[in-house]
Amino acid sequence: MSNPMKRMVVPVLISAALVASAVGCTGRTDKKAESETPKSNKRAMITATIYDRGNIPSSEGTIENNKITKWINESGPVDVKFIAVPRAQSEQKLSTLFAGGGAPDLILEYAPQIKNPLIDQKQLRPISDMIDKYSTVYKALLQKYPSLKKAGTGADGQLYQFGRINETIPQRGLFIRTDWLKKLNLKIPKTTEELYQTAKAFAEQDPDGNGKKDTYGIAMSYNSGNILDEMFGVTYPGFIVQNNELIHGWDHIKAATEFKKKLYSEGLVDKDYLNDKNGSKAKQDFLKGKTGIYMEQFNVPIVFYNDYYVNLKKNVPNAEITVIPYPETPVGQFNPIFVNPIQMTAVVNAQVKDTEAVMKYVDFAASEKFMKTMYYGFEGVHSKSEPGKCPQVINLDKWKTEFNFGSGDFAMLASPTLAGKCYFGTEKLDAQNELQNQVKKMFEANSSFIRFDLPVAGPTHAEQMPQLPKELQQILTNTTKHVGVGEGDIWVKSILTPGYSPEQAKQDAIAAWNKAGGKQVDDWYKSFYANDKDKMILTRDIYDIFKEQRALQKK
């Protein structure tokens, strides 16, 4: 069977026709749609969700009302009232909104485990008719990249989700204090045993030279904990490819738990890591120069520069860090997971009253004009443009204050690579600025570490996993808190409890999983992979897109 991605290898430059429609159609509707829809002088209004990450500066208002939302309402074709959804509790918030009859028209959400049940419950509407009647920009995008339709189609065969084409890059980075390595005469760790030894030295040998035993070897909360699991080849929902079969990765989860337990029991991590739910304490420990090995999102280099590197160098001017490849583990070596190249990001409430208005906004949010503003800010204020050149940021501090808190979430329908080379991650960094250039080099190095002979955690990106039948999805959802990768109660108990071995935790987790009906989930995934894996976007397809984009970026 042919490679399912061959038809959608992502070029950097969009066709002139698509650019023209992206820039010029924001206030226009399809002629047929105009004839079918009664005209009104009143401007249409929709409601839409926006993630609240709790990071908006007080000077900028609220996540629902700020300079970005005002620009959207001034420049877009419809008025949008944004409804805040706490990022860490989006499932609970959306459940409450739907239960109370107050769910927004347009729901911007990444997680398939949140959206798929809403589709099954008929809480969301199919969108093909909206696209056919009212769309220009998104319709052209679907025609150019049919895999968007494949990824957005529900189990009933109908199209439910809008999506975007992303720059395909490693999503995370593993950072290490190289000045501490030099001081303690250590080398870059290449295995998890060497990583442990390095963390032990960082925690016990006073690498900051203050005469106190007050440093952590490695971070283990939130993103750092997730990345430790990825190093061992597992991520949600916990399945791996072994001998060309898709199976539950119990041995990999156990190996990751053994590593974490060793770090925890020897005091090489913050003993209170589990209560650091959003990783804010681990982040501050790293930025204050108290943590030697730190793992974090690294798919948007300007964000890492703004939120991490500048502050680290401000607090600890002599600190030196670099990004390193994931080390080899007892169960193999793995690449970092990638940013999802074909990402479904929005769905429509089944109770929506004005589908034309929603489609107008989706077209606007998918346009080059929208992408440019979210990426570079306001022309003449945050950046300037010259013919034939990428826009240049002229006030990064102002952009950081007024856009950095939410531009990525407001732009969940924008496809960066479709707007040209200027929207690749490193383009906003100034190579003449020493610190920005250091981040640029680390970002490029992180991509250079990718080995195409290695797998990533799982058979594909977690968002591309095939949709389970409703009853099996419920089993997976119900058991995740107890036996799920990384944060399942049984695994955490093993890390924290002396004498409760990861091997025993594995046996207990398998027993709990099977008791809840998990074997049915195992069998379904195994069968799907054996018979229908060509319907999935697999790791090899992601690698193909990654290689193609990197080649185009170098031109």
Side-chain angles (χ1 to χ4, degrees):
M1 187 173 288
S2 63
N3 187 327
M5 297 296 292
K6 288 297 184 185
R7 292 183 298 163
M8 63 75 53
V9 172
V10 182
V12 175
L13 296 178
I14 190 170
S15 68
L18 186 54
V19 171
S21 67
V23 174
C25 74
T26 55
R28 189 181 65 201
T29 57
D30 182 272
K31 293 297 183 183
K32 182 180 178 183
E34 283 183 348
S35 66
E36 294 176 353
T37 306
K39 300 211 176 195
S40 170
N41 293 326
K42 186 177 180 181
R43 183 175 164 92
M45 193 273 286
I46 69 167
T47 53
T49 63
I50 183 66
Y51 286 136
D52 185 356
R53 298 179 186 268
N55 62 345
I56 183 169
S58 57
S59 61
E60 296 307 300
T62 65
I63 196 64
E64 306 101 314
N65 184 15
N66 51 71
K67 289 183 178 67
I68 298 177
T69 62
K70 290 175 183 176
W71 176 83
I72 288 172
N73 281 294
E74 289 169 0
S75 303
V78 299
D79 290 332
V80 186
K81 178 182 178 182
F82 287 99
I83 309 298
V85 173
R87 181 64 185 101
Q89 290 90 37
S90 60
E91 184 171 11
Q92 299 93 310
K93 178 67 173 181
L94 288 172
S95 294
T96 300
L97 289 171
F98 273 102
D105 300 320
L106 183 68
I107 295 98
L108 298 168
E109 174 59 54
Y110 293 118
Q113 66 269 27
I114 295 176
K115 293 178 289 186
N116 288 339
L118 292 173
I119 293 173
D120 291 339
Q121 296 160 13
K122 309 297 183 184
Q123 301 270 31
L124 304 177
R125 80 180 311 279
I127 58 176
S128 292
D129 63 325
M130 296 168 53
I131 297 169
D132 291 341
K133 289 181 182 179
Y134 307 122
S135 179
T136 53
V137 178
Y138 197 79
K139 183 185 291 184
L141 195 64
L142 274 181
Q143 291 170 350
K144 195 171 184 67
Y145 302 107
S147 288
L148 278 168
K149 183 173 182 179
K150 179 171 69 173
T153 298
D156 62 0
Q158 297 195 76
L159 182 63
Y160 286 93
Q161 300 190 59
F162 295 109
R164 65 179 179 182
I165 304 298
N166 282 321
E167 181 182 4
T168 307
I169 45 179
Q171 189 164 325
R172 329 258 201 194
L174 171 57
F175 300 92
I176 193 165
R177 286 285 299 271
T178 52
D179 55 324
W180 287 10
L181 289 175
K182 293 173 187 174
K183 181 174 181 179
L184 301 179
N185 196 29
L186 299 170
K187 296 180 180 180
I188 296 289
K190 295 183 178 180
T191 66
T192 46
E193 175 60 27
E194 292 177 0
L195 190 71
Y196 154 73
Q197 294 292 349
T198 303
K200 187 175 181 68
F202 284 171
E204 297 177 352
Q205 296 182 26
D206 190 26
D208 61 355
N210 68 352
K212 301 177 183 178
K213 189 178 178 181
D214 59 352
T215 52
Y216 298 120
I218 188 169
M220 205 165 80
S221 62
Y222 198 53
N223 274 328
S224 289
N226 294 334
I227 294 171
L228 285 174
D229 293 319
E230 287 175 22
M231 282 184 199
F232 287 82
V234 281
T235 187
Y236 181 88
F239 289 78
I240 65 168
V241 177
Q242 192 171 87
N243 298 324
N244 203 32
E245 288 187 333
L246 188 60
I247 63 170
H248 212 125
W250 296 116
D251 288 336
H252 290 237
I253 303 173
K254 183 193 80 168
T257 303
E258 287 173 338
F259 186 70
K260 294 178 187 178
K261 185 179 182 72
K262 193 173 186 179
L263 297 173
Y264 180 85
S265 63
E266 295 189 24
L268 310 185
V269 300
D270 182 357
K271 286 286 190 180
D272 200 33
Y273 84 95
L274 200 60
N275 291 321
D276 187 16
K277 297 299 184 183
N278 63 1
S280 59
K281 184 178 183 301
K283 176 180 177 180
Q284 289 307 311
D285 288 336
F286 173 65
L287 297 183
K288 291 175 181 177
K290 293 300 178 184
T291 302
I293 302 167
Y294 183 72
M295 294 148 280
E296 190 50 85
Q297 298 284 103
F298 197 37
N299 56 311
V300 185
I302 194 66
V303 171
F304 186 83
Y305 167 78
N306 281 327
D307 291 354
Y308 294 86
Y309 200 51
V310 169
N311 292 317
L312 173 64
K313 297 295 283 187
K314 187 183 299 181
N315 294 331
V316 192
N318 295 326
E320 298 175 6
I321 65 170
T322 193
V323 65
I324 65 174
Y326 281 7
E328 185 176 359
T329 80
V331 292
Q333 188 169 11
F334 303 87
N335 288 319
I337 64 169
F338 285 75
V339 171
N340 189 356
I342 307 159
Q343 187 174 41
M344 298 296 104
T345 56
V347 289
V348 179
N349 189 339
Q351 303 303 316
V352 65
K353 296 293 192 294
D354 192 343
T355 55
E356 181 179 5
V358 171
M359 195 65 245
K360 280 185 177 182
Y361 177 71
V362 170
D363 269 9
F364 175 58
S367 71
E368 183 182 13
K369 176 181 179 180
F370 196 99
M371 180 69 237
K372 179 181 178 182
T373 302
M374 292 303 107
Y375 196 82
Y376 285 104
F378 300 141
E379 177 72 21
V381 177
H382 307 98
S383 62
K384 64 177 180 180
S385 300
E386 296 180 17
K389 297 181 180 179
C390 291
Q392 297 295 306
V393 176
I394 57 178
N395 195 327
L396 185 57
D397 287 339
K398 190 172 180 64
W399 180 90
K400 176 181 176 182
T401 299
E402 299 177 354
F403 272 82
N404 189 42
F405 65 85
S407 59
D409 291 331
F410 283 106
M412 285 172 64
L413 286 161
S415 300
T417 58
L418 299 183
K421 180 179 176 180
C422 298
Y423 299 88
F424 278 94
T426 56
E427 291 301 320
K428 197 183 292 182
L429 294 170
D430 182 2
Q432 304 305 312
N433 178 295
E434 182 180 359
L435 294 186
Q436 290 187 41
N437 193 45
Q438 288 171 8
V439 172
K440 184 175 186 290
K441 288 181 177 179
M442 284 191 282
F443 187 78
E444 291 168 345
N446 206 35
S447 288
S448 74
F449 296 150
I450 298 303
R451 285 175 46 189
F452 301 115
D453 61 323
L454 296 180
V456 297
T460 183
H461 193 285
E463 294 173 8
Q464 297 289 357
M465 287 291 285
Q467 182 180 340
L468 287 163
K470 180 179 178 180
E471 63 278 7
L472 299 187
Q473 179 61 50
Q474 194 61 50
I475 292 172
L476 180 61
T477 301
N478 291 345
T479 55
T480 294
K481 185 179 183 300
H482 200 39
V483 303
V485 178
E487 297 181 357
D489 294 340
I490 288 178
W491 304 111
V492 171
K493 179 183 175 183
S494 178
I495 294 169
L496 303 183
T497 307
Y500 185 37
S501 71
E503 174 59 34
Q504 185 59 55
K506 184 186 88 168
Q507 299 304 321
D508 293 345
I510 292 173
W513 171 254
N514 289 336
K515 183 177 180 180
K519 189 177 182 305
Q520 299 174 64
V521 178
D522 292 341
D523 291 343
W524 190 91
Y525 273 135
K526 185 175 181 179
S527 175
F528 186 96
Y529 192 80
N531 301 303
D532 297 302
K533 63 175 175 287
D534 285 334
K535 296 179 181 179
M536 297 171 61
I537 294 164
L538 297 167
T539 296
R540 65 172 182 262
D541 304 315
I542 296 174
Y543 285 170
D544 285 345
I545 301 170
F546 172 79
K547 287 185 281 190
E548 184 72 14
Q549 288 186 2
R550 296 285 70 73
L552 288 167
Q553 188 181 21
K554 292 176 181 178
K555 288 183 178 180

